[in-house]
Amino acid sequence: MHLADYLGLLHRSEGELADAFRTVARGHAEEPDVFHICERLAAQCDRHAAALRPFAERYGEEQEDEPERLHSDLFGDGVRSGGLGLLRDLHDLYLMASECDISWTMIGQGAQGARDTELLAVVDACEHETATQLAWLRTRMKQAAPQALVVA
Amino acid sequence: MPDRIADPWGPRTPYARGGEWPARTDVFLEEGTREEDVERWVQTASILHSNGDAYDMAVRDGRLVGVRGRAVDRVNRGRLGPKDLFGWQANRSRDRLTRPLVREGGRLVETDWDTAMGRVVERSRELLGSGPGGWGRFGFYTSGQLFLEEYYTLGVIGKAGIGTPHMDGNTRLCTATAAAALKASFGTDGQPGSYTDVDHCDAIAVYGHNVAETQTMLWARMLDRLHGADRPALLCVDPRLTPVAREADVHLAPVSGTNLALMNGLVHELIRNGWIDERYVRASTLGFEALERLTAGYPPGRVADICRVPSDDVRAAARLLGTCSRLLSTVLQGFYQSHEATAASCAVNNIHLLRGMIGLPGAGIYQMNGQPTAQNTRETGADGDLPGMRNWDNAEHIRELAALWNVDPAIIPHWAPPTHAMQIFRYAEQGSIRLLWVSATNPAVSLPDLGRIRSILGREELFLVVQDLFLTETARLADIVLPAATWGEKLGTFTSVDRTVHISETAVEPPGEARPDLDIFLDYARRMDFRDRDGAPLVKWHDAEGAFEAWKACSRGRPCDYTGITYDMLRGGSGVQWPCTDEAPHGTERLYAGGRFNTDPDFCETYGHDLTTGAAHTEAEYRAREPRGRAFLQAHEWTPPPERTSDDYPLVLTTGRTVYHFHTRTKTGRASQLAAAAPDVWVELNAADAAALGASEGDRMRVESPRGAIEAPARISGVRPGVVFVPFHYGYWDAGDAAGPGAGAGRAANELTITAWDPVSKQPAFKVAAVRVTRLGAGDGPSPAPTTGASAPAAGVAAPATTGGAAAEARSRMEEA
């Protein structure tokens, strides 16, 4: 039974994504939409992590067995500056959110296998929010890319 | 004769349901001129609000001497509001710009057109030629007050000449949410209803729309029904005690930033009580289950807690909406400039969809505009839309445009969403936009967080071109100032909220060397030598009618099809509502009869967005929903606004227009009757909040947000507790300051407002800033706030009534049609 591994992984990933959204929000506060939406999405990630916690405990979260290679150090030095910096930071957020996204898929599959309807309900409620986070990041990057890559 | 400053709406002509609104011809002529002295009456419509009131300008000895309403017109039936009656006098101001100006040694000096345009073209060529991405160095920020022909020409120059996505209008500040909500619900922009719906409805719901002051003659129509034989029920949602609220059967005053919660609560009650048309919902909408699930979480008790309104009033409002037989709804800035603007506005559409009340007489929706020609910027592509309501994400739509303009599709910027106004200013702040061309608007007063905007406009590296009638706060910061003609001095058309197209003829010559905006854009295109794929000039027309004909070709087959309209058709009679085609040669009064909407994937204007974040949906996702002509019910959770009150900033600021002024007062501040009626800024406080601050009527107050401060006298009014109101757009030109507050106290509401915008419409959230208010000292009498509108003094507060005296008397003739 390795469901606990993925629950721990996602629990931690959501926490780190929340931190990263907040770092980007404050580091790019001069982009008001980025600031406000990243703050909002950070709170959403906090809620995801909180919703996962009881399941992580139920399935015996085992920290030492978690798969590593997370992007927790992506924002270790804070954000980058300028138009290209914004693009790169959003790009890194996208990678982190993708990590969460595919983890939700795995956990959804695990929950089906475990016949855990409560966990499935959490997955149903949260995974589309993560998908929307990805869609927003893609939308915002597409908007910023031509100016940042060609003009500025 | 009625004093139309004291009575902005004029005499009542009550009428019953299903009747025709009686004509009432309003006339105002300058002193010493009688109607029989007028040499020519020249047709036009209002350019000082979005109602579309039709009137004739009186000309004598080559100058404007007055106005007279057009009784034949479907919009106003001859009536005129105070801005129409008096505003035209600004055209004759002595401080009109008459010659181009260029900056020399830090000062603006007069020059000739060749020199001014030569410099604009020289800089343009330099920026276009300096490596790849030249398009990205240009930004165009235009107005909601030019004509259709001018917007279309500018759109072609920007989108097919330069190829830049950085084009927007100040309609972004006032009306972008109207467009976004219409697209999100119905597939394309365009109002479903008609102003005649006032004649047929039995209930009117007014959401965040102080219609009595923003569109006085639309309100006069409503008042005439309200005072007629079978009065429609009236619901008002507004934190202020507006004239609408005073007439209402139910007045809900939610605290700012909670509109979506309220709307979800109303929908909750409609569904719970079965006040829905199930057959219509099944046949003509998508998303009912999600809406039902989501709004289940908004019972009246919870809504009352969030919005701080009585739960019984929420129930009463829902009953009014749910039990009427023909519902007319109207929405404006109280929703559009607030938190979750698009989602809350879509919720109004939801109510009509749930009740099956679209496309029928009396069952209209006005997703209203504030600016008179806002509809045209959206149609023609001078703002963040593609001409003809085409879809940026639809490759076939781009190919159509490229074929029409005979250019390579690659030049039309469709790779990303169009750049909205606030982002244009951000790119200018960062230095990637190097040339910003501002026409007929005044961002140095109208945009949020003015300190920041002034510093952007004043940047050394930014080449700022300003095209306007006056040396506005923005023009004072320009490198080049181009003197423009205004309505009455140029020919063109424009379209009101209910899709009525009017023509505006040339009555008099512009002053000095001032030129019509169309001529300026055509001159630029010629000097820049923009070419099509065959080497012919890109812009193939030379005058207004030519531009109109070109636009008609662009509109063909699209929702806003103008192909059946000609200038001659618009002359003499009334306006015509688009679409007007071979099949509908007299225009179309209502859209979406029969419950069929413009949501076909090949026809729609957008594939949609997540309304909470603005994330774009893909074409594949959209097609998978198989809309098949059905409208979208939009379901979204309320979330708290971006700036919340705190111990430091305990009150919420809301801003708005008053009946006597328009935009940044560049015109209305120069019409003596209007300027005298509301000469200076004020701050409105509820009696309870005022008492807590130790403030009484007229006391000098300081209002501060984290971004700036203003000082203004207090008006103790009927605004809801916890909310303070400051009128926008008092600026600095008539306060002795050049471009900003300098060392003195701020006067513009936007010194205080937050830079934040709706994620879908990108409309700034002017109505949700947290502020603190302190009393500075006693004043020298009551505040200058008008007593006629929402700023009327609270009971027991003494202030002299706002009047205009003999100078504001206008004739109203009721006997003839």
Side-chain angles (χ1 to χ4, degrees), chain B residues 492-552:
Chain B
T493 57
F494 48 93
T495 307
S496 74
V497 174
D498 82 341
R499 297 171 280 105
T500 303
V501 185
H502 282 117
I503 193 163
S504 183
E505 305 266 16
T506 306
V508 297
E509 289 298 309
E513 296 174 28
R515 302 169 70 186
D517 299 271
L518 179 65
D519 290 5
I520 298 172
F521 295 140
L522 289 172
D523 186 25
Y524 179 68
R526 187 180 53 76
R527 290 172 191 258
M528 288 296 289
D529 199 28
F530 294 121
R531 297 274 160 180
D532 70 9
R533 199 140 55 170
D534 296 326
L538 173 69
V539 179
K540 296 171 173 57
W541 48 93
H542 310 284
D543 58 17
E545 193 158 6
F548 186 78
E549 291 298 317
W551 160 247
K552 282 164 62 176

Side-chain angles (χ1 to χ4, degrees), chain B residues 108-169:
Chain B
L108 285 169
V109 296
E110 286 196 352
T111 188
D112 54 51
W113 276 98
D114 261 346
T115 305
M117 290 304 286
R119 288 196 193 183
V120 178
V121 167
E122 183 190 11
R123 179 59 71 98
S124 298
R125 287 182 183 282
E126 206 176 281
L127 293 175
L128 268 181
S130 59
W135 53 265
R137 301 182 181 103
F138 290 77
F140 292 89
Y141 184 56
T142 185
S143 177
Q145 297 174 66
L146 297 183
F147 292 167
L148 179 151
E149 294 78 359
E150 294 163 339
Y151 293 134
Y152 183 60
T153 303
L154 179 61
V156 173
I157 290 170
K159 285 177 167 120
I162 295 168
T164 184
H166 307 326
M167 305 188 81
D168 206 355

Side-chain angles (χ1 to χ4, degrees), chain A residues 30-33 36-37 40-41 82-83 132 135-136 138-140 142-144 146-147 150-152, chain B residues 132-133 135-136 166 339 415-416 423 426-427 430 432 452 610 612-613 615-616 639 642 755-757:
Chain A
E30 290 190 321
E31 315 291 343
D33 58 334
H36 292 299
I37 292 174
R40 172 172 293 188
L41 298 182
T132 300
W136 175 71
R138 200 182 308 114
T139 301
R140 189 63 179 84
K142 279 183 74 175
Q143 176 199 322
Q147 195 78 2
V150 182
V151 184
Chain B
W135 53 265
H166 307 326
H339 180 51
W415 52 76
Q423 188 69 52
R426 176 64 179 148
Y427 286 151
Q430 291 178 307
S432 66
R452 182 178 185 178
D610 170 60
T612 306
T613 59
T639 59
T755 304
W757 54 79

